Structures are given as structure tokens and as C-alpha cells.
Amino acid sequence: MKRHYSHVKCTGTGLQIPAFDRYLAAWVIAPYLVAALLLAVPQLLQPASTQNALELISVSIADKRSGPWLPTELDALQLNNNHGWLRAVFTVPVASAGPDAPPLGLYLSGTFSARVFWNDHEVGFKGLPGEDPESESAGPIDAIIHLPVDSVAPGNNIALLELSSHYRQHSLNSIIHGSEILPGLRLASYSSEIRRPIGYYSTPLLGFILLVITTLVIVSTNIYERRLGLVMVISLLVAATAELFRAIYAYPYGLHMLRLGLVASALMVFACTLPFYFGRRGGLRMPVSGLLAVTAAGIVATLWIGPPQDVVHAVLWASVPASIALVWKSPQASQGNRIILTSALACLLLSLSLDKDLFFDQYLYAAVVPLLAVICRPTAVKKSLPRTVQLLVRSAGRTRIIDCKEILTIQGAGNYSQIRLVSGETILDDRSLKEMLTLFPANFIRAHRSHLVNLDAVHELRSLGAGKYELLLTHQQRCPLSRTHVKTVRESLAQR
């Protein structure tokens, strides 16, 4: 298909430079520019206290305050019997210590309660830890412990934390939450705001706005495609809302799995719907019952197998390539449309290969921007050549010209097709049913996996009970109608 480009003439040179048309700018270039902007926004909006954390030298853990101490990693920190001690060594530069230095705070984030000692001085609590559930008072998911100026010395400083995590509902990789950008144990300038900074969630926040807009403007020529698109958009909206909740309310850490389960379940719905959407968009039959079964199984696996984010991440690794395969298998999409759809999905696939922790907090909502553009864009169907009203039937070395108005049904017979005429005559053609479908005008549609029917000849759609249907045609003829094609045939008849 030819694409026409406008040209801009350069003054004084006479050169003709091709310029992108509005279609290309709106649906191809703009979404990727917006996605790149969303990835840069969190770094710009996060307060200095989250960007200028002081160096953490070492972390070790012990069952008792007296040791023995074993080196550990924050992203794999677990407590024996949900109780233990953590020893962290920070380096404080001279400029950050002393009476004239700005106050420092120890930032704690995760599913645990803590009592904090700084250089052997008790400085604060995140809830109240205990050796058993009865003696623990669950702390907030995020907390900031103010460090008195006279307790901070230049050089190495030791933070000693008594930890307990009896109210965790599910085994996660670590009780300390966070990423390299915003670690769950860090020393930085003090802030009275204990909730996670909204700047950290700026990507889902802006993504939330785009999702609302998408919900309002989503369009499609196919009602099922539009419904599947809305399911994906609404599931992303639910996940983004749950993500933003942490920046709004410092909830007790015992509720964290409720929030995380909501995020993961919503994203599981998105992941499972994705290939069904692109299958429908490409004109392929994707049963709704299959989508419901796959989604239900995915949510169960997310909540019971876990960790939730790992399960969703794995399912996305399967559903995105499957969606790309369906795009290229589509009999309706043009080559240019395939490239646009593939590039939108490739953006999501690329984000999956980045930091897994930041994927759910930030990368996902930037990566789906091109996908949202695809969902908002009307379906682009490959334009076929005008179909003739006459058919050249090839059979046994002979060719016969038949007016399409004289054809009632075409039945598949292996690599051949059996054509039934109004006169009652039956002709065998050398082409398969799939080939024949591409030759007929729009009034010929599939009524059964082995039958095409001329809608102009249909007088009645009849239900036979037990999920069986048939079409009554002119001249007392009948055509079987499968349950999977009933809705399509009924809608096509209603539009005539």
C-alpha cells in the first residue's frame, strides 16, 4: 500500500525533503517520546533526600544482639523465626556531621518492625519488634528515624536494628523493600514526611492520567476488541492506583500483601488479556471462555504460589512474545500495521529485561504508552483488491463463470471446496475453503469451520437447542451454524 508523504522545500537549495505526515507523528513517534519522558520524570521529581543517600559500607545479620554476625544482602534479607538483629555501617562525610550540619534521618522501608540504635544510642522505632507475634506491634510500611546531631560522627557510624516480621502474609525475597534508586535502608537528609515520595511514583501517576484518557477515547471497529482493550486499560488503572496508594498513606506493613496482591492480580489480568486482544484485533477467533480460564488460573498462581511480582513477570515474558506472534499471524493486518504493533509490544518486552523491582513501580507504565496509542487507534485492516461479483470455478481442468448471487453456500472438502447453487447444482472447485473466502464479496462469511454462507440468501437463524443452530436459506436449503459464529452472523445480518 502506498503512503503519500508531504514535502518541505528548503529555501535557496531547491531540495525536496520528505516530512512525516500527521498519522506517523501521532501514532508512532509521539508515544515513544512520551514514554522516554515518563522514564526521566522520577529522577527530576524525587526530593534531594532520596537522591543523595550517604554510603552504606556493609550489612550483616545475627539472631542475637551479641552476634555472631554474618554478611547479608538487603535484597535477600530473611529473619530466622521472624526475629533478629541487623548491623549496618554508614560512612558520614565531615560536611554532614557536626552542629551546623543539616539533620540526618535513617529511612526504613519494608515488611518489618524495628527498634533502632545509632552508635549505641536508642534513637527510635518503626512499630515495636518482638520475639513472638503477641509482643510485636506492626510498624508502618515506611518510616524515618531522626538522628540527633550529637550522635552522628564523621567517618563510620553503626546502625543496629532489632527486627521482627511476624505479620508478613507471604514470603517475599526480602523484608527490606526498595531498589538501587530508593533502597529500603538508607541514610539521607531528614524529612518529616514518612510516606514514599510522590516523585518515585510519578510514572504510574502520569500513566494513570493517560489511562483515564485512553478509557474515554478508546475506539475500535470491533466491539469485542474494544471490550478487551478496556479490560487491559482498567486493569492497569487498578494497578496504578494501588501503586500510588503507598505515596498517600503509610499503612501498617501487615497490609502490604493486600496491596501487592491487588497490584499483581490486576497486572495478571492485563498479561492474560494481551494476546487475546491482539488475536481479536487480527481477526483470529479467541474464545472468551479461554480468556476467563487462563486469567483465573493466573490470579490463583499469583496469590498462592508467589512471590506475586515474580509470577506476573514470568507470565508477561510469555504473553508479550505470544502477542507478537499473533500480530504476524493475523490475516487482516497490513505490513505497516504489523510493524507498528510489534514495535509497541517490543517496548514492553524491553522493559521486562530491565530492573525487576523498578519494572512494576515505573518501567511498566512508561512501556505501555505506545500500547495505549495502539488501543486508541482504530483498527487498520489491510485493504484487499475489489472482489468480483463473478467467480471463476476451476474443476477437473475446466473453468466455469458463476455469478456470486447464484451461490448459496461453499463447503470445505479437504483441499477442495463444494459450491452449492440456487438451482440445487453442486460444483467441486480445486481451491480450499480458506482460499475461497478471500475471493468473495463481504456478504459471504463463515458460518461454520467448514461452511461459508451467502448472507443475501439467509431467511432465518434458528436455534435447535443444546447449543446447536442452523440457517434457513432460499429454496428450502439449510446451512449449519456453529456456536462460535452465532454472534458474528447475527450482527452481520442485523447490519444488512
Side-chain angles (χ1 to χ4, degrees), residues 207-269:
F208 177 89
I209 297 173
L210 291 175
L211 288 165
V212 172
I213 295 174
T214 302
T215 304
L216 297 176
V217 304
I218 186 170
V219 292
S220 170
T221 57
N222 185 302
I223 186 172
Y224 300 107
E225 178 189 327
R226 182 165 61 249
R227 287 174 179 173
L228 291 173
L230 282 172
V231 169
M232 290 195 298
V233 171
I234 292 173
S235 63
L236 288 171
L237 267 173
V238 172
T241 303
E243 284 289 357
L244 292 171
F245 185 70
R246 189 166 179 175
I248 299 172
Y249 175 58
Y251 51 86
Y253 85 78
L255 298 178
H256 182 67
M257 280 308 301
L258 179 62
R259 169 182 169 271
L260 188 59
L262 180 60
V263 172
S265 297
L267 294 181
M268 180 59 72
V269 173

Short mmCIF file of all heavy atoms in Angstrom, two decimals, residues 207-269:
data_model
loop_
_atom_site.label_atom_id
_atom_site.label_comp_id
_atom_site.label_asym_id
_atom_site.label_seq_id
_atom_site.Cartn_x
_atom_site.Cartn_y
_atom_site.Cartn_z
N GLY A 207 1.05 7.88 34.18
CA GLY A 207 0.43 6.78 33.45
C GLY A 207 -1.04 6.66 33.78
O GLY A 207 -1.87 6.34 32.92
N PHE A 208 -1.40 6.91 35.04
CA PHE A 208 -2.80 6.88 35.47
C PHE A 208 -3.62 7.89 34.67
O PHE A 208 -4.72 7.59 34.20
CB PHE A 208 -2.88 7.19 36.96
CG PHE A 208 -4.28 7.25 37.51
CD1 PHE A 208 -4.89 6.11 37.99
CD2 PHE A 208 -4.99 8.44 37.55
CE1 PHE A 208 -6.18 6.14 38.50
CE2 PHE A 208 -6.27 8.49 38.04
CZ PHE A 208 -6.86 7.35 38.52
N ILE A 209 -3.06 9.08 34.49
CA ILE A 209 -3.76 10.12 33.72
C ILE A 209 -3.95 9.68 32.28
O ILE A 209 -5.05 9.83 31.70
CB ILE A 209 -2.98 11.45 33.80
CG1 ILE A 209 -2.91 11.94 35.25
CG2 ILE A 209 -3.62 12.50 32.91
CD1 ILE A 209 -2.02 13.14 35.44
N LEU A 210 -2.90 9.11 31.69
CA LEU A 210 -3.00 8.63 30.31
C LEU A 210 -4.02 7.49 30.19
O LEU A 210 -4.74 7.39 29.20
CB LEU A 210 -1.63 8.16 29.82
CG LEU A 210 -0.57 9.25 29.61
CD1 LEU A 210 0.77 8.63 29.24
CD2 LEU A 210 -1.01 10.22 28.51
N LEU A 211 -4.07 6.64 31.21
CA LEU A 211 -5.01 5.53 31.19
C LEU A 211 -6.45 6.01 31.25
O LEU A 211 -7.34 5.47 30.59
CB LEU A 211 -4.72 4.59 32.36
CG LEU A 211 -3.44 3.74 32.23
CD1 LEU A 211 -3.07 3.15 33.59
CD2 LEU A 211 -3.62 2.65 31.20
N VAL A 212 -6.69 7.05 32.07
CA VAL A 212 -8.04 7.63 32.14
C VAL A 212 -8.43 8.21 30.78
O VAL A 212 -9.55 8.00 30.30
CB VAL A 212 -8.10 8.71 33.23
CG1 VAL A 212 -9.43 9.45 33.16
CG2 VAL A 212 -7.91 8.10 34.61
N ILE A 213 -7.49 8.92 30.16
CA ILE A 213 -7.77 9.49 28.84
C ILE A 213 -8.05 8.38 27.83
O ILE A 213 -8.98 8.47 27.02
CB ILE A 213 -6.57 10.35 28.37
CG1 ILE A 213 -6.40 11.56 29.30
CG2 ILE A 213 -6.76 10.80 26.92
CD1 ILE A 213 -5.17 12.39 29.02
N THR A 214 -7.25 7.31 27.89
CA THR A 214 -7.45 6.18 26.98
C THR A 214 -8.83 5.56 27.16
O THR A 214 -9.50 5.21 26.19
CB THR A 214 -6.37 5.10 27.23
OG1 THR A 214 -5.08 5.68 27.06
CG2 THR A 214 -6.53 3.94 26.27
N THR A 215 -9.26 5.44 28.41
CA THR A 215 -10.58 4.87 28.69
C THR A 215 -11.68 5.70 28.04
O THR A 215 -12.69 5.17 27.57
CB THR A 215 -10.82 4.80 30.21
OG1 THR A 215 -9.76 4.05 30.82
CG2 THR A 215 -12.14 4.13 30.52
N LEU A 216 -11.49 7.03 28.00
CA LEU A 216 -12.52 7.91 27.46
C LEU A 216 -12.53 7.94 25.94
O LEU A 216 -13.58 8.16 25.33
CB LEU A 216 -12.31 9.33 28.00
CG LEU A 216 -12.44 9.49 29.53
CD1 LEU A 216 -12.11 10.92 29.94
CD2 LEU A 216 -13.84 9.12 30.00
N VAL A 217 -11.37 7.71 25.31
CA VAL A 217 -11.30 7.88 23.85
C VAL A 217 -11.10 6.58 23.10
O VAL A 217 -11.03 6.59 21.87
CB VAL A 217 -10.16 8.85 23.47
CG1 VAL A 217 -10.33 10.18 24.16
CG2 VAL A 217 -8.78 8.25 23.79
N ILE A 218 -11.03 5.45 23.80
CA ILE A 218 -10.75 4.18 23.13
C ILE A 218 -11.79 3.91 22.04
O ILE A 218 -12.98 4.06 22.25
CB ILE A 218 -10.72 3.04 24.16
CG1 ILE A 218 -10.28 1.73 23.50
CG2 ILE A 218 -12.06 2.86 24.85
CD1 ILE A 218 -10.00 0.62 24.50
N VAL A 219 -11.30 3.57 20.88
CA VAL A 219 -12.19 3.32 19.74
C VAL A 219 -11.75 2.05 19.03
O VAL A 219 -10.62 1.62 19.13
CB VAL A 219 -12.17 4.50 18.73
CG1 VAL A 219 -12.80 5.72 19.32
CG2 VAL A 219 -10.75 4.78 18.26
N SER A 220 -12.67 1.45 18.30
CA SER A 220 -12.37 0.25 17.53
C SER A 220 -13.55 -0.04 16.62
O SER A 220 -14.68 0.33 16.91
CB SER A 220 -12.11 -0.94 18.45
OG SER A 220 -12.04 -2.13 17.71
N THR A 221 -13.28 -0.71 15.51
CA THR A 221 -14.36 -1.11 14.63
C THR A 221 -14.99 -2.42 15.09
O THR A 221 -15.99 -2.85 14.55
CB THR A 221 -13.83 -1.30 13.20
OG1 THR A 221 -12.76 -2.28 13.23
CG2 THR A 221 -13.30 0.00 12.64
N ASN A 222 -14.41 -3.05 16.10
CA ASN A 222 -14.88 -4.34 16.59
C ASN A 222 -15.24 -4.23 18.06
O ASN A 222 -14.42 -3.84 18.88
CB ASN A 222 -13.78 -5.39 16.38
CG ASN A 222 -14.23 -6.79 16.75
OD1 ASN A 222 -14.63 -7.03 17.88
ND2 ASN A 222 -14.15 -7.70 15.81
N ILE A 223 -16.47 -4.59 18.42
CA ILE A 223 -16.93 -4.42 19.80
C ILE A 223 -16.14 -5.30 20.76
O ILE A 223 -15.83 -4.91 21.89
CB ILE A 223 -18.43 -4.71 19.90
CG1 ILE A 223 -18.93 -4.40 21.31
CG2 ILE A 223 -18.75 -6.16 19.52
CD1 ILE A 223 -20.45 -4.47 21.45
N TYR A 224 -15.76 -6.51 20.32
CA TYR A 224 -15.01 -7.41 21.20
C TYR A 224 -13.60 -6.89 21.43
O TYR A 224 -13.06 -6.98 22.52
CB TYR A 224 -14.97 -8.81 20.59
CG TYR A 224 -16.35 -9.40 20.39
CD1 TYR A 224 -16.90 -9.51 19.12
CD2 TYR A 224 -17.10 -9.82 21.48
CE1 TYR A 224 -18.17 -10.02 18.94
CE2 TYR A 224 -18.39 -10.34 21.31
CZ TYR A 224 -18.91 -10.44 20.04
OH TYR A 224 -20.17 -10.94 19.86
N GLU A 225 -13.02 -6.36 20.38
CA GLU A 225 -11.69 -5.77 20.51
C GLU A 225 -11.73 -4.59 21.47
O GLU A 225 -10.83 -4.42 22.31
CB GLU A 225 -11.21 -5.32 19.13
CG GLU A 225 -9.84 -4.63 19.14
CD GLU A 225 -9.53 -4.03 17.79
OE1 GLU A 225 -9.95 -4.61 16.76
OE2 GLU A 225 -8.87 -2.97 17.75
N ARG A 226 -12.76 -3.76 21.38
CA ARG A 226 -12.89 -2.61 22.27
C ARG A 226 -13.06 -3.06 23.72
O ARG A 226 -12.47 -2.48 24.64
CB ARG A 226 -14.07 -1.74 21.84
CG ARG A 226 -14.25 -0.49 22.69
CD ARG A 226 -15.17 0.52 22.03
NE ARG A 226 -16.51 0.00 21.81
CZ ARG A 226 -17.01 -0.28 20.61
NH1 ARG A 226 -16.26 -0.12 19.54
NH2 ARG A 226 -18.26 -0.74 20.49
N ARG A 227 -13.83 -4.11 23.94
CA ARG A 227 -14.03 -4.60 25.30
C ARG A 227 -12.72 -5.14 25.89
O ARG A 227 -12.41 -4.90 27.05
CB ARG A 227 -15.10 -5.69 25.30
CG ARG A 227 -16.51 -5.15 25.10
CD ARG A 227 -17.50 -6.30 24.96
NE ARG A 227 -18.87 -5.79 24.77
CZ ARG A 227 -19.91 -6.56 24.50
NH1 ARG A 227 -19.74 -7.88 24.36
NH2 ARG A 227 -21.11 -6.04 24.35
N LEU A 228 -11.98 -5.88 25.09
CA LEU A 228 -10.70 -6.40 25.57
C LEU A 228 -9.73 -5.27 25.86
O LEU A 228 -8.96 -5.32 26.83
CB LEU A 228 -10.11 -7.37 24.54
CG LEU A 228 -10.84 -8.71 24.36
CD1 LEU A 228 -10.26 -9.48 23.20
CD2 LEU A 228 -10.77 -9.53 25.64
N GLY A 229 -9.74 -4.24 25.01
CA GLY A 229 -8.89 -3.08 25.26
C GLY A 229 -9.25 -2.39 26.56
O GLY A 229 -8.37 -1.99 27.34
N LEU A 230 -10.55 -2.28 26.83
CA LEU A 230 -10.99 -1.67 28.09
C LEU A 230 -10.58 -2.51 29.29
O LEU A 230 -10.22 -1.97 30.34
CB LEU A 230 -12.50 -1.48 28.07
CG LEU A 230 -13.03 -0.29 27.27
CD1 LEU A 230 -14.55 -0.33 27.16
CD2 LEU A 230 -12.59 1.02 27.89
N VAL A 231 -10.64 -3.83 29.16
CA VAL A 231 -10.21 -4.71 30.25
C VAL A 231 -8.73 -4.45 30.58
O VAL A 231 -8.35 -4.33 31.76
CB VAL A 231 -10.42 -6.19 29.88
CG1 VAL A 231 -9.72 -7.11 30.89
CG2 VAL A 231 -11.90 -6.52 29.85
N MET A 232 -7.91 -4.34 29.56
CA MET A 232 -6.48 -4.09 29.79
C MET A 232 -6.25 -2.72 30.43
O MET A 232 -5.47 -2.58 31.37
CB MET A 232 -5.70 -4.20 28.48
CG MET A 232 -5.61 -5.61 27.93
SD MET A 232 -4.36 -5.77 26.64
CE MET A 232 -5.01 -4.66 25.40
N VAL A 233 -6.93 -1.71 29.92
CA VAL A 233 -6.74 -0.36 30.44
C VAL A 233 -7.21 -0.26 31.88
O VAL A 233 -6.53 0.32 32.74
CB VAL A 233 -7.49 0.66 29.55
CG1 VAL A 233 -7.49 2.03 30.19
CG2 VAL A 233 -6.84 0.74 28.17
N ILE A 234 -8.37 -0.84 32.18
CA ILE A 234 -8.90 -0.78 33.55
C ILE A 234 -8.01 -1.56 34.52
O ILE A 234 -7.79 -1.13 35.66
CB ILE A 234 -10.34 -1.30 33.58
CG1 ILE A 234 -11.27 -0.33 32.83
CG2 ILE A 234 -10.83 -1.49 35.01
CD1 ILE A 234 -12.68 -0.83 32.65
N SER A 235 -7.48 -2.70 34.09
CA SER A 235 -6.57 -3.46 34.96
C SER A 235 -5.31 -2.66 35.26
O SER A 235 -4.81 -2.66 36.39
CB SER A 235 -6.22 -4.80 34.33
OG SER A 235 -5.53 -4.64 33.11
N LEU A 236 -4.79 -1.94 34.27
CA LEU A 236 -3.62 -1.08 34.51
C LEU A 236 -3.99 0.09 35.43
O LEU A 236 -3.18 0.51 36.26
CB LEU A 236 -3.08 -0.55 33.18
CG LEU A 236 -2.35 -1.57 32.30
CD1 LEU A 236 -2.06 -0.98 30.93
CD2 LEU A 236 -1.05 -2.02 32.95
N LEU A 237 -5.21 0.60 35.29
CA LEU A 237 -5.67 1.67 36.17
C LEU A 237 -5.72 1.20 37.63
O LEU A 237 -5.30 1.92 38.54
CB LEU A 237 -7.05 2.15 35.74
CG LEU A 237 -7.13 3.33 34.79
CD1 LEU A 237 -8.56 3.55 34.33
CD2 LEU A 237 -6.57 4.58 35.43
N VAL A 238 -6.23 0.00 37.85
CA VAL A 238 -6.29 -0.55 39.21
C VAL A 238 -4.89 -0.71 39.78
O VAL A 238 -4.63 -0.35 40.94
CB VAL A 238 -7.03 -1.91 39.20
CG1 VAL A 238 -6.93 -2.59 40.56
CG2 VAL A 238 -8.49 -1.71 38.82
N ALA A 239 -3.97 -1.25 38.97
CA ALA A 239 -2.60 -1.45 39.44
C ALA A 239 -1.93 -0.11 39.75
O ALA A 239 -1.23 0.03 40.78
CB ALA A 239 -1.80 -2.21 38.39
N ALA A 240 -2.11 0.90 38.89
CA ALA A 240 -1.50 2.21 39.12
C ALA A 240 -2.07 2.86 40.38
O ALA A 240 -1.34 3.49 41.15
CB ALA A 240 -1.73 3.11 37.90
N THR A 241 -3.38 2.71 40.60
CA THR A 241 -3.99 3.27 41.80
C THR A 241 -3.43 2.64 43.05
O THR A 241 -3.12 3.32 44.04
CB THR A 241 -5.51 3.07 41.75
OG1 THR A 241 -6.04 3.67 40.56
CG2 THR A 241 -6.19 3.70 42.96
N ALA A 242 -3.28 1.31 43.03
CA ALA A 242 -2.71 0.61 44.20
C ALA A 242 -1.25 1.01 44.41
O ALA A 242 -0.80 1.12 45.56
CB ALA A 242 -2.83 -0.89 44.00
N GLU A 243 -0.52 1.23 43.34
CA GLU A 243 0.87 1.68 43.48
C GLU A 243 0.92 3.06 44.14
O GLU A 243 1.72 3.31 45.05
CB GLU A 243 1.55 1.74 42.11
CG GLU A 243 1.94 0.40 41.53
CD GLU A 243 3.12 -0.23 42.26
OE1 GLU A 243 3.68 0.39 43.18
OE2 GLU A 243 3.46 -1.38 41.92
N LEU A 244 0.07 3.98 43.69
CA LEU A 244 0.08 5.34 44.21
C LEU A 244 -0.35 5.39 45.67
O LEU A 244 0.00 6.33 46.39
CB LEU A 244 -0.85 6.22 43.37
CG LEU A 244 -0.40 6.51 41.94
CD1 LEU A 244 -1.51 7.19 41.16
CD2 LEU A 244 0.86 7.37 41.94
N PHE A 245 -1.09 4.38 46.13
CA PHE A 245 -1.61 4.37 47.49
C PHE A 245 -0.48 4.46 48.52
O PHE A 245 -0.64 5.07 49.58
CB PHE A 245 -2.43 3.10 47.71
CG PHE A 245 -3.11 3.04 49.04
CD1 PHE A 245 -4.17 3.87 49.34
CD2 PHE A 245 -2.68 2.15 50.02
CE1 PHE A 245 -4.80 3.83 50.57
CE2 PHE A 245 -3.29 2.08 51.25
CZ PHE A 245 -4.36 2.93 51.53
N ARG A 246 0.68 3.88 48.20
CA ARG A 246 1.79 3.90 49.15
C ARG A 246 2.34 5.31 49.36
O ARG A 246 2.89 5.62 50.41
CB ARG A 246 2.91 2.97 48.67
CG ARG A 246 4.01 2.77 49.70
CD ARG A 246 4.88 1.61 49.33
NE ARG A 246 5.96 1.40 50.29
CZ ARG A 246 6.81 0.39 50.26
NH1 ARG A 246 6.71 -0.52 49.31
NH2 ARG A 246 7.76 0.28 51.16
N ALA A 247 2.19 6.17 48.34
CA ALA A 247 2.64 7.55 48.48
C ALA A 247 1.60 8.42 49.17
O ALA A 247 1.87 9.56 49.52
CB ALA A 247 2.98 8.13 47.11
N ILE A 248 0.40 7.87 49.38
CA ILE A 248 -0.69 8.62 50.01
C ILE A 248 -0.85 8.27 51.48
O ILE A 248 -1.13 9.13 52.31
CB ILE A 248 -2.01 8.35 49.24
CG1 ILE A 248 -1.88 8.83 47.79
CG2 ILE A 248 -3.18 9.03 49.92
CD1 ILE A 248 -3.04 8.44 46.92
N TYR A 249 -0.63 6.99 51.81
CA TYR A 249 -0.89 6.53 53.17
C TYR A 249 0.18 5.54 53.61
O TYR A 249 0.47 4.57 52.92
CB TYR A 249 -2.27 5.86 53.23
CG TYR A 249 -2.61 5.24 54.56
CD1 TYR A 249 -2.62 6.01 55.73
CD2 TYR A 249 -2.93 3.89 54.66
CE1 TYR A 249 -2.93 5.43 56.96
CE2 TYR A 249 -3.25 3.32 55.87
CZ TYR A 249 -3.25 4.09 57.02
OH TYR A 249 -3.56 3.53 58.23
N ALA A 250 0.79 5.82 54.78
CA ALA A 250 1.80 4.92 55.35
C ALA A 250 1.08 3.84 56.15
O ALA A 250 0.95 3.92 57.37
CB ALA A 250 2.79 5.69 56.21
N TYR A 251 0.60 2.83 55.49
CA TYR A 251 -0.22 1.79 56.11
C TYR A 251 0.66 0.83 56.92
O TYR A 251 1.87 0.69 56.67
CB TYR A 251 -0.98 1.02 55.04
CG TYR A 251 -0.11 0.50 53.91
CD1 TYR A 251 0.55 -0.72 54.01
CD2 TYR A 251 0.06 1.25 52.74
CE1 TYR A 251 1.35 -1.19 53.00
CE2 TYR A 251 0.86 0.80 51.72
CZ TYR A 251 1.51 -0.42 51.84
OH TYR A 251 2.32 -0.88 50.83
N PRO A 252 0.11 0.10 57.90
CA PRO A 252 0.88 -0.90 58.64
C PRO A 252 1.40 -1.98 57.69
O PRO A 252 0.69 -2.38 56.75
CB PRO A 252 -0.15 -1.47 59.62
CG PRO A 252 -1.19 -0.41 59.75
CD PRO A 252 -1.26 0.25 58.41
N TYR A 253 2.61 -2.44 57.93
CA TYR A 253 3.24 -3.35 56.98
C TYR A 253 2.47 -4.66 56.81
O TYR A 253 2.58 -5.33 55.79
CB TYR A 253 4.69 -3.61 57.37
CG TYR A 253 4.92 -4.71 58.39
CD1 TYR A 253 4.86 -6.06 58.03
CD2 TYR A 253 5.22 -4.41 59.72
CE1 TYR A 253 5.09 -7.06 58.96
CE2 TYR A 253 5.43 -5.41 60.65
CZ TYR A 253 5.37 -6.74 60.26
OH TYR A 253 5.59 -7.73 61.18
N GLY A 254 1.64 -5.02 57.79
CA GLY A 254 0.84 -6.24 57.67
C GLY A 254 -0.15 -6.20 56.52
O GLY A 254 -0.60 -7.24 56.04
N LEU A 255 -0.49 -4.99 56.05
CA LEU A 255 -1.43 -4.85 54.93
C LEU A 255 -0.72 -4.81 53.58
O LEU A 255 -1.39 -4.69 52.54
CB LEU A 255 -2.25 -3.57 55.10
CG LEU A 255 -3.14 -3.48 56.35
CD1 LEU A 255 -3.84 -2.13 56.39
CD2 LEU A 255 -4.14 -4.62 56.37
N HIS A 256 0.60 -4.92 53.61
CA HIS A 256 1.34 -4.75 52.35
C HIS A 256 0.97 -5.82 51.33
O HIS A 256 0.87 -5.52 50.14
CB HIS A 256 2.84 -4.78 52.63
CG HIS A 256 3.67 -4.57 51.39
ND1 HIS A 256 3.69 -3.37 50.71
CD2 HIS A 256 4.48 -5.42 50.70
CE1 HIS A 256 4.49 -3.48 49.66
NE2 HIS A 256 4.98 -4.71 49.63
N MET A 257 0.78 -7.06 51.78
CA MET A 257 0.47 -8.12 50.83
C MET A 257 -0.91 -7.94 50.21
O MET A 257 -1.14 -8.36 49.08
CB MET A 257 0.56 -9.48 51.51
CG MET A 257 2.00 -9.99 51.65
SD MET A 257 2.93 -9.99 50.09
CE MET A 257 1.91 -11.03 49.09
N LEU A 258 -1.82 -7.28 50.92
CA LEU A 258 -3.13 -6.98 50.34
C LEU A 258 -2.96 -6.03 49.16
O LEU A 258 -3.54 -6.25 48.08
CB LEU A 258 -4.04 -6.36 51.40
CG LEU A 258 -5.45 -5.97 50.93
CD1 LEU A 258 -6.21 -7.20 50.45
CD2 LEU A 258 -6.21 -5.27 52.06
N ARG A 259 -2.17 -4.99 49.36
CA ARG A 259 -1.91 -4.04 48.28
C ARG A 259 -1.13 -4.70 47.15
O ARG A 259 -1.46 -4.56 45.96
CB ARG A 259 -1.13 -2.84 48.83
CG ARG A 259 -0.55 -1.91 47.76
CD ARG A 259 0.24 -0.78 48.39
NE ARG A 259 1.01 -0.05 47.41
CZ ARG A 259 2.24 -0.37 47.04
NH1 ARG A 259 2.84 -1.42 47.56
NH2 ARG A 259 2.88 0.37 46.15
N LEU A 260 -0.08 -5.44 47.51
CA LEU A 260 0.74 -6.09 46.49
C LEU A 260 -0.07 -7.13 45.71
O LEU A 260 0.09 -7.27 44.50
CB LEU A 260 1.95 -6.75 47.16
CG LEU A 260 3.03 -7.32 46.23
CD1 LEU A 260 3.60 -6.23 45.34
CD2 LEU A 260 4.13 -7.98 47.04
N GLY A 261 -0.95 -7.85 46.42
CA GLY A 261 -1.79 -8.84 45.74
C GLY A 261 -2.75 -8.18 44.76
O GLY A 261 -3.02 -8.72 43.69
N LEU A 262 -3.27 -6.99 45.12
CA LEU A 262 -4.16 -6.27 44.22
C LEU A 262 -3.41 -5.82 42.97
O LEU A 262 -3.91 -5.96 41.85
CB LEU A 262 -4.76 -5.06 44.94
CG LEU A 262 -5.72 -4.19 44.14
CD1 LEU A 262 -6.92 -5.01 43.66
CD2 LEU A 262 -6.18 -2.99 44.96
N VAL A 263 -2.20 -5.28 43.16
CA VAL A 263 -1.37 -4.87 42.02
C VAL A 263 -1.09 -6.05 41.11
O VAL A 263 -1.28 -5.99 39.88
CB VAL A 263 -0.05 -4.23 42.50
CG1 VAL A 263 0.88 -3.98 41.31
CG2 VAL A 263 -0.31 -2.94 43.25
N ALA A 264 -0.62 -7.15 41.71
CA ALA A 264 -0.24 -8.33 40.92
C ALA A 264 -1.45 -8.95 40.21
O ALA A 264 -1.34 -9.36 39.05
CB ALA A 264 0.44 -9.35 41.82
N SER A 265 -2.59 -9.02 40.88
CA SER A 265 -3.79 -9.60 40.26
C SER A 265 -4.27 -8.76 39.08
O SER A 265 -4.64 -9.30 38.02
CB SER A 265 -4.92 -9.74 41.29
OG SER A 265 -4.55 -10.62 42.34
N ALA A 266 -4.24 -7.45 39.24
CA ALA A 266 -4.65 -6.56 38.15
C ALA A 266 -3.71 -6.71 36.95
O ALA A 266 -4.14 -6.77 35.80
CB ALA A 266 -4.68 -5.11 38.62
N LEU A 267 -2.41 -6.79 37.23
CA LEU A 267 -1.44 -6.94 36.14
C LEU A 267 -1.53 -8.32 35.51
O LEU A 267 -1.21 -8.49 34.33
CB LEU A 267 -0.03 -6.65 36.65
CG LEU A 267 0.23 -5.21 37.08
CD1 LEU A 267 1.66 -5.03 37.53
CD2 LEU A 267 -0.10 -4.23 35.94
N MET A 268 -1.94 -9.32 36.29
CA MET A 268 -2.14 -10.65 35.72
C MET A 268 -3.29 -10.63 34.71
O MET A 268 -3.23 -11.27 33.66
CB MET A 268 -2.41 -11.66 36.83
CG MET A 268 -2.64 -13.09 36.33
SD MET A 268 -1.24 -13.77 35.39
CE MET A 268 -0.07 -14.03 36.73
N VAL A 269 -4.36 -9.89 35.04
CA VAL A 269 -5.47 -9.73 34.10
C VAL A 269 -4.96 -9.08 32.81
O VAL A 269 -5.31 -9.51 31.69
CB VAL A 269 -6.60 -8.89 34.72
CG1 VAL A 269 -7.68 -8.58 33.68
CG2 VAL A 269 -7.20 -9.62 35.91
#
